[in-house]
Amino acid sequence: MQRRAASACCLVVLLVVSPVATAVPATASATTQPSAVSTETANATTQADSEFDGTAFLAVDEASDGDLVAGGVEVAPNASSRPALANTTATLARVGENGTEWSTSVGNGNTTAVRDVLAADDGIYFLLVESRGGARGPGSSRSADVRLGKASSGGEVRWQESLNGTLGFTAGTGGSLVDTDDGVALARQVPGSGVRLTEYDGRTVAWERTYDVEARVGSVRATDDGFLLAGSVGFDEPWVLRTAESGQPVFNETYPGIESAGVLGAVPTDDGGALVAGRHRPGFDAGSGALTARLDGDGQVRWTRVHGTGSDVQLTRVFGTERGLLLAGQSIAGPGETGSVRLLGVGADGAELAGGTVEDVPRVTAMTRSDDSLRVAGLEGAGLSEGDLNAVFRTIQVPSTEAPGDASLAADTALASNETHYRGQDIRVRDAGLADTYTLVRLPGEFGEFEPQEVRQVTLGDDGTAVFESATLPEGRYVLRMPYDRPVAVEDGRVQGPADRSEAAFRVKEQRLFRVETNRTLVDVAAGERRLSLTLDSDRQSYEVHVRADRFRGGAAGATDLREAFGQVDGFEGIDTVDGQPAARIAVGDRGDEGSLGLTADVADLRPGLYDVVVSGADTRDGGAVADGRFVVGTPEEHPVGLELGAQSLTVGAGEEVRTNVTLTGLTGGAGALALSANRTGDPDVRLRLDADVNASRVSAGGGVSPRESTTELMAFDADTPTGSVEVARLEVRGESLGREPLTNGTNTATLRVDWVVDEDGVPYTAPEPVTVAYEVTGAGNATGAGDSPGDGGAGGGRSPVSGGASGSAGGGSA
């Protein structure tokens, strides 16, 4: 099979509950380019139903009469989370305008789940997964029996047929069953064999074909003359297959030149090609975006685009429209909470056609397209991983895509041979009359790990100019190539003529921004503090950045606030709008060997609260140039909170550990986020450790450990605060040395501090005074601890009880 490199764009859209587990991606900074399309709020209506307690629907399809057919899992009433995962029953249901018409179990109660449904003219087809021993959850493709089944329109199961293999595609995305003239077609990965496409006439195989590619199938669609499959190979390398009606490949291509975070679907085009859509994640912790790409009838990439949809939205479904694609996704704050559904239309030329946001929609688990609306199934409970399920249905209006969109790109730089261009820049090239279309080719690296890869076709417009995006290009060396494998040299964006490869090549590199460091985390406004110093390093010289400040639980700093905070900074150029949010633009000149940025902001007039300050390359954020830091603006008034330890005197033996609970009191506004630190000076040289341990619906925690200090941060948890007190962490003292000095007997003290803490609305409390805990080490002799480096797991051994207080954990929280 030919491998062609391609650049594509990815869409972030909807966070979905997987049949395996409920997951919420970490919030990150958006890096995608701002959308030029207005995003009007759409409407969501409730479909009548009250009979689905204990059920999660993982697939839905609309029948010809407008009813919804849904499939998923049902758990036993009052089941705890682990039994719920270990014992689910596959279920089918039909829901009309006035409520449930019928529901029925189609599994045998041995951890089964319906993963896809198809409402056809001759009945209801469904895909059922039964987990065998050791499977992680309902519908898990690890050690599972996969069956294709059919039921009547009234819910009577007619037959089930084993497929003898795992599914091999993402749970909960749907789109694996396709209606055909003779029955149904199914695409799936068969590990070790490739991708298998099968058409059934009833329960009999009409034909079957296996393709030699180890791809995870994101979607399969019927075309006028065959089928279109799309998915990912390996680490999210895009893959697209278009076939004739018999399954004979028209093209079967992978695209290692596309930096994708997973392809979820494709729709056919009239010329025999496809529009592809998926996720775009430009770099580690750099947020999410969307990518779309256009393939021609030969499978060659004609263009790619990156679209901004928001940092906390994840793509789940891709639908075809008359003018291109409709992408849908959802942002969710936590289990049991509603979120906003994000919709985005993209034209066949890559233009953004329409956008919309629908607020207060339950956690969406499945969706299907119905004319000018989406029919979705969701959860109002805590989610499958908690065993708390309550399925509901919604109808969401789709925004009109009639208004024209602009597919053009504004150039950030002109292409030049033997120069470096940065991922995320839109690059301009002009012709000297040599050709109308050039091929962008990725060259092998130093070790020649691949043959030259065709990435995309660059076609010049009527004015002899083309602009192509680079956000989805892998780092490396490239050339523009004329027909007959002739590289061309380019100077200041203009093609000069044929040249040797070494003379024609240019480099695409990621601009790396390193974490924003601050001189303090808490700006204590009550004590008269106003200014905050921020520093950042990059390997690029002379560039511009956007700086924004996102407030925890309360929006972001506005244009006026940013101007007040950064307006006096050297290089400040004004306020721009990035992804619909104000951002200060600051120019970074030649500052030393690297493009270091140091600025002092006046943040005292910002609304009190916890902020993530996000710095992104003005022209490279789509390519991963994003870094962030954290600071807290205190309140001028007192907002006190207390700090207590379960025990303030501890005894620990060599090789053992003791621990005591850390409790915050006086939390009149609840607990939203906090940071703790514990440190010591002098010997004995024990190890301190702070572990987040809180009874809450969700916890995001992180921390570090060094020879003399331990830190932890907790974010975004709904802690149990009926009395205003919350056990938030455990302080552990381990009888082992982090350094190379021997552990000795003796006594010492450690100091525990609340660095900052904010309530559920993000308003800071006044930090309490530090608390000191005394500890004594016994039985050390001349032994040294096993852990010689920060973060090492340390020595094993027994645990001694806490001295002078209880040693239990806060319990209940889950990170």
Side-chain angles (χ1 to χ4, degrees):
M1 181 184 67
Q2 180 184 1
R3 293 170 60 86
R4 176 178 293 122
S7 167
C9 304
C10 187
L11 157 76
V12 261
V13 200
L14 169 67
L15 170 65
V16 134
V17 174
S18 151
V20 180
T22 301
V24 182
T27 300
S29 307
T31 63
T32 46
Q33 60 193 15
S35 169
V37 181
S38 63
T39 57
E40 298 180 356
T41 299
N43 297 318
T45 59
T46 302
Q47 183 159 350
D49 192 275
S50 60
E51 301 180 16
F52 291 120
D53 289 346
T55 302
F57 289 116
L58 310 176
V60 292
D61 193 29
E62 187 177 58
S64 58
D65 61 0
D67 285 356
L68 272 184
V69 174
V73 297
E74 184 177 3
V75 299
N78 302 318
S80 61
S81 62
R82 288 305 155 196
L85 288 174
N87 186 16
T88 61
T89 302
T91 186
L92 280 177
R94 189 181 185 101
V95 181
E97 182 177 352
N98 297 319
T100 306
E101 297 185 8
W102 54 259
S103 63
T104 184
S105 298
V106 295
N108 59 11
N110 184 26
T111 315
T112 54
V114 171
R115 286 271 294 273
D116 203 0
V117 293
L118 174 66
D121 292 338
D122 60 341
I124 299 168
Y125 292 92
F126 60 90
L127 205 57
L128 182 143
V129 178
E130 178 179 353
S131 299
R132 303 188 183 113
R136 292 186 171 183
S140 170
S141 60
R142 176 184 295 183
S143 183
D145 179 32
V146 183
R147 300 196 294 272
L148 174 67
K150 185 179 181 183
S152 69
S153 59
E156 179 185 354
V157 177
R158 298 292 174 79
W159 52 263
Q160 295 185 38
E161 194 74 26
S162 177
L163 300 180
N164 299 316
T166 62
L167 291 177
F169 56 73
T170 305
T173 59
S176 55
L177 297 175
V178 176
D179 199 5
T180 66
D181 292 339
D182 297 325
V184 66
L186 166 70
R188 69 193 192 278
Q189 179 187 11
V190 181
S193 298
V195 171
R196 186 166 296 165
L197 179 61
T198 309
E199 184 173 2
Y200 289 86
D201 183 356
R203 65 191 304 175
T204 302
V205 174
W207 59 263
E208 185 170 79
R209 188 180 290 266
T210 301
Y211 308 92
D212 186 20
V213 56
E214 291 293 332
R216 301 182 303 280
V217 183
S219 72
V220 56
R221 297 178 187 272
T223 66
D224 291 338
D225 55 2
F227 299 92
L228 176 65
L229 286 72
S232 302
V233 174
F235 294 104
D236 298 324
E237 182 178 297
W239 162 77
V240 180
L241 165 68
R242 185 155 184 168
T243 79
E245 190 173 3
S246 63
Q248 177 71 27
V250 176
F251 63 80
N252 183 14
E253 303 287 352
T254 59
Y255 300 91
I258 294 179
E259 286 281 323
S260 158
V263 170
L264 292 200
V267 299
T269 56
D270 293 339
D271 64 351
L275 289 171
V276 183
R279 299 187 184 103
H280 174 62
R281 184 173 294 278
F284 177 75
D285 200 29
S288 297
L291 87 78
T292 54
R294 174 70 159 88
L295 308 181
D296 63 20
D298 295 324
Q300 296 187 12
V301 178
R302 308 304 299 191
W303 54 255
T304 64
R305 290 289 188 274
V306 175
H307 311 274
T309 57
S311 62
D312 56 350
V313 181
Q314 186 175 356
L315 173 67
T316 54
R317 289 303 302 268
V318 179
F319 301 98
T321 68
E322 291 184 359
R323 299 187 62 187
L325 295 167
L326 175 68
L327 306 156
Q330 185 180 31
S331 62
I332 291 288
E337 298 186 6
T338 61
S340 59
V341 168
R342 177 77 163 92
L343 304 173
L344 176 65
V346 179
D349 58 358
E352 294 186 9
L353 301 178
T357 300
V358 185
E359 302 293 345
D360 298 326
V361 179
R363 178 183 294 269
V364 177
T365 55
M367 63 172 60
T368 188
R369 178 78 188 272
S370 172
D371 296 329
D372 59 351
S373 64
L374 294 179
R375 310 282 296 278
V376 303
L379 284 179
E380 287 189 333
L384 184 59
S385 64
E386 300 297 327
D388 179 16
L389 309 179
N390 182 23
V392 295
F393 295 93
R394 297 286 188 271
T395 298
I396 297 173
Q397 298 301 311
V398 173
S400 171
T401 58
E402 294 302 317
D406 185 2
S408 62
L409 296 175
D412 294 309
T413 187
L415 184 64
S417 299
N418 292 307
E419 296 289 339
T420 295
H421 301 286
Y422 289 91
R423 289 186 60 207
Q425 292 181 321
D426 294 329
I427 303 174
R428 184 186 72 246
V429 59
R430 295 179 294 169
D431 188 34
L434 300 178
D436 295 328
T437 297
Y438 294 87
T439 302
L440 181 62
V441 178
R442 184 185 178 200
L443 300 176
E446 179 182 355
F447 301 103
E449 65 272 21
F450 56 82
E451 294 298 318
Q453 298 169 343
E454 296 181 4
V455 172
R456 73 185 77 170
Q457 302 299 302
V458 178
T459 300
L460 306 181
D462 294 338
D463 61 353
T465 300
V467 180
F468 61 91
E469 65 82 19
S470 64
T472 57
L473 295 178
E475 290 187 293
R477 295 171 62 247
Y478 292 81
V479 294
L480 274 188
R481 193 177 67 188
M482 294 173 55
Y484 309 108
D485 195 22
R486 299 173 65 194
V488 293
V490 185
E491 182 178 337
D492 192 26
R494 182 176 293 277
V495 175
Q496 301 298 304
D500 292 337
R501 179 186 293 180
S502 60
E503 297 175 353
F506 61 93
R507 181 171 295 279
V508 174
K509 179 180 180 180
E510 180 178 334
Q511 180 186 2
R512 290 177 173 84
L513 298 180
F514 304 101
R515 177 175 172 81
V516 178
E517 300 290 344
T518 60
N519 63 327
R520 60 166 64 93
T521 302
L522 175 65
V523 180
D524 190 349
V525 177
E529 295 177 352
R530 299 190 59 87
R531 298 188 177 277
L532 180 73
S533 295
L534 303 99
T535 58
L536 172 113
D537 289 323
S538 176
D539 54 359
R540 181 183 177 190
Q541 290 278 8
S542 298
Y543 58 97
E544 294 180 332
V545 295
H546 283 121
V547 182
R548 71 174 198 262
D550 299 333
R551 189 178 185 277
F552 171 73
R553 299 271 179 94
T560 300
D561 291 332
L562 291 175
R563 189 178 297 275
E564 289 292 328
F566 297 101
Q568 302 305 313
V569 170
D570 183 27
F572 176 79
E573 296 184 335
I575 304 295
D576 293 343
T577 299
V578 180
D579 291 336
Q581 183 174 321
R585 178 186 285 265
I586 299 173
V588 182
D590 294 337
R591 305 187 182 186
D593 295 334
E594 294 182 340
S596 299
L597 172 64
L599 55 90
T600 300
D602 187 339
V603 300
D605 292 331
L606 292 178
R607 180 183 172 190
L610 169 63
Y611 290 86
D612 283 322
V613 57
V614 181
V615 182
S616 58
D619 60 348
T620 54
R621 64 184 180 276
D622 290 341
V626 177
D628 60 6
R630 180 170 293 160
F631 66 90
V632 179
V633 177
T635 59
E637 302 85 14
E638 290 292 317
H639 192 30
V641 65
L643 171 63
E644 295 180 357
L645 287 175
Q648 291 186 291
S649 178
L650 306 173
T651 300
V652 60
E656 298 179 345
E657 69 180 39
V658 294
R659 57 187 177 180
T660 184
N661 293 333
V662 180
T663 300
L664 295 184
T665 62
L667 297 171
T668 56
L674 62 90
L676 302 172
S677 61
N679 58 67
R680 65 169 181 83
T681 58
D683 296 324
D685 188 14
V686 297
R687 178 187 298 203
L688 302 178
R689 183 181 179 92
L690 279 167
D691 287 328
D693 196 356
V694 61
N695 185 13
S697 63
R698 64 198 184 281
V699 176
S700 172
V705 61
S706 68
R708 296 186 181 273
E709 185 178 39
S710 178
T711 62
T712 188
E713 288 191 5
L714 307 180
M715 289 293 296
F717 59 85
D718 291 326
D720 185 11
T721 56
T723 65
S725 297
V726 178
E727 293 180 350
V728 295
R730 293 176 304 181
L731 172 63
E732 295 183 351
V733 179
R734 296 186 179 185
E736 57 190 37
S737 172
L738 270 173
R740 299 189 179 275
E741 295 299 322
L743 182 69
T744 60
N745 292 331
T747 60
N748 196 4
T749 59
T751 301
L752 177 69
R753 289 181 173 84
V754 176
D755 298 313
W756 52 264
V757 55
V758 300
D759 66 19
E760 289 286 2
D761 295 324
V763 178
Y765 291 99
T766 303
E769 292 296 320
V771 173
T772 299
V773 58
Y775 64 86
E776 179 183 6
V777 177
T778 63
N782 292 319
T784 58
D788 290 331
S789 62
D792 182 40
R799 296 189 178 187
S800 63
V802 170
S803 210
S807 62
S809 69
S814 59

